[in-house]
Amino acid sequence: MKKAGKSLSVLLAAAMIAGSLTACGGGKDDGRADSGEKKDVKIAIVCDSAGQNDNGYNQTAVEGAKKAADELGVEYKVVEPENGVPAALETLAEDGYNVIFNLEYDFDALIKGVGGSEPIAVMYPDTTFVCVNDNPNQYDDGNVIHDNVICALFDVHEASYIAGALSVQVLENKDILFPAENYSFTDLDKGGRTIGFVGGTNSNGITVFSDGFIEGINKAAEDLGVNYDYYAKYDAGFSDPATGSTVAGTYYNQGANVVYAVAGSVGDGVASKAKEEKKLAIHVDADKDDMQPGYILTSVIKNTSVPVYDITKAYVDGTIDDMDRLQTFPLASGATDITELTQIKQAIADTDEAQAKWEEIMTYIDDLKTQIADGKIKVTNAQIGEAFDPSACKNVTIK
């Protein structure tokens, strides 16, 4: 049900906006299952700037919507907004979509209202809006602002911690692990203890990766008695691989042997540059290790299909009002982790020493995962407002 008293001008504007949305799904042929009981439920995915075919964050959300259509009989639409996220949210709510997932970092109009308008969440109280990757729906005291807004967060700080520790372990043993003819690593004593990070935007949804990554680097560096330098850029955007290639090239030239990209398609450029330089990259969102086999160390998985499906199912089952307004998805949920490292393992030298060292590193990584699950290791989570303390990472110098 829409808010009573909505002005005619807003209704007309919504109708005009609808014609400018690019979308797929939503029809009976491709937006709903052809078998099983049909539910009178419509969901929508509002993509970020990387678009629905990004082979990651957006695409896996679409996969979750398709799974919901197949198994739950819901109708879905995927929208790449051409007139801004607020316009897309209003149009979808006006069109009767019950659950709308917003994958873009644009929440002010929904939560606070902009330009003198009421918050969109207030305008459409019977629509459930889902903010993915951030938690803007709470007051400073922690209380929920809008009951019809759910925030979905991935514990990617923990997965990034594992990726950081893995990076150090691998680099400290690179001469044992990798055939020299396939790689051109910077010597560790000549600046090679350097790691880079490329983020799409300076927001909690991105810094949460970097904070955990630094802490993981610090843990392994401390355990091995070494020190690392850390370079980071937080405004690379999400859609231009050339930007990723340029930034990564700069870091590799400064001695970095690993560059971690949390920037959508920008990360594709980082991965390409890693292969060109014969060094390593870390990708994000989906398992992209085979994009540049042997030159992507791992991917930090953020499987958006899990919250899309789980929250949609709760709506269909009638239990969504019982869900906490903040939903977190830890390593155990399958929504986040690092990959199984199949591709990089194939690049390891075929010697007894290399294989034994690799197994030793895997044991170390598995132990860290257990300590995180048991609460023995606490990783900073920027998504819930925890502050990262650089001074606590004494074995990492942030440049």
Side-chain angles (χ1 to χ4, degrees), residues 65-339:
K66 290 179 179 178
K67 180 181 178 183
D70 291 340
E71 298 184 8
L72 306 174
V74 304
E75 181 180 343
Y76 73 92
K77 175 177 279 189
V78 181
V79 175
E80 296 176 342
E82 295 181 350
N83 291 288
V85 169
L89 296 178
E90 284 200 55
T91 299
L92 290 164
E94 196 71 41
D95 287 345
Y97 282 83
N98 305 103
V99 185
I100 302 172
F101 296 86
N102 178 19
L103 276 63
E104 182 62 274
Y105 296 103
D106 187 346
F107 309 115
D108 281 353
L110 174 65
I111 304 298
K112 302 175 183 178
V114 296
S117 297
E118 286 185 304
I120 295 172
V122 172
M123 294 164 61
Y124 298 94
D126 294 331
T127 302
T128 298
F129 298 91
V130 182
C131 300
V132 181
N133 256 356
D134 207 347
N135 183 23
N137 189 42
Q138 65 176 13
Y139 294 107
D140 291 340
D141 61 6
N143 287 324
V144 170
I145 300 174
H146 303 293
D147 289 335
N148 61 327
V149 175
I150 295 174
C151 294
L153 301 182
F154 304 84
D155 286 347
V156 291
H157 55 299
E158 296 176 350
S160 293
Y161 182 101
I162 297 299
L166 175 67
S167 297
V168 171
Q169 285 282 345
V170 165
L171 292 182
E172 291 300 314
N173 295 285
K174 61 181 179 58
D175 294 336
I176 297 173
L177 293 173
F178 298 107
E181 64 271 18
N182 295 339
Y183 295 89
S184 296
F185 293 114
T186 301
D187 290 343
L188 296 182
D189 58 357
K190 296 180 180 179
R193 289 192 175 97
T194 299
I195 294 176
F197 179 88
V198 182
T201 183
N202 192 2
S203 66
N204 289 340
I206 298 297
T207 58
V208 65
F209 288 88
S210 182
D211 295 348
F213 190 51
I214 295 170
E215 290 175 345
I217 292 169
N218 185 74
K219 168 62 176 172
E222 183 179 33
D223 287 347
L224 295 172
V226 295
N227 295 284
Y228 272 73
D229 289 336
Y230 188 81
Y231 289 90
K233 178 179 177 63
Y234 296 102
D235 59 354
F238 296 92
S239 59
D240 184 12
T243 297
S245 179
T246 299
V247 177
T250 299
Y251 291 159
Y252 291 133
N253 288 337
Q254 290 172 327
N257 283 316
V258 174
V259 177
Y260 180 17
V262 185
S265 297
V266 170
D268 298 348
V270 173
S272 295
K273 182 59 71 171
K275 180 179 181 180
E276 179 184 328
E277 297 290 335
K278 295 186 177 182
K279 294 187 176 184
L280 297 173
I282 297 175
H283 223 313
V284 76
D285 294 340
D287 185 345
K288 301 179 181 179
D289 294 5
D290 62 355
M291 181 177 290
Q292 303 292 347
Y295 299 98
I296 297 181
L297 175 60
T298 188
S299 302
V300 171
I301 297 171
K302 184 169 56 179
N303 186 357
T304 48
S305 69
V306 175
V308 168
Y309 181 84
D310 287 357
I311 294 172
T312 299
K313 188 175 188 301
Y315 190 92
V316 171
D317 292 345
T319 60
I320 197 165
D321 289 340
D322 298 328
M323 297 181 77
D324 289 339
R325 298 299 91 177
L326 175 60
Q327 292 289 308
T328 58
F329 296 85
L331 292 173
S333 72
T336 186
D337 201 344
I338 63 170
T339 59

Side-chain angles (χ1 to χ4, degrees), residues 25-32 75-76:
K28 292 184 179 179
D29 291 337
D30 58 355
R32 300 183 67 155
E75 181 180 343
Y76 73 92

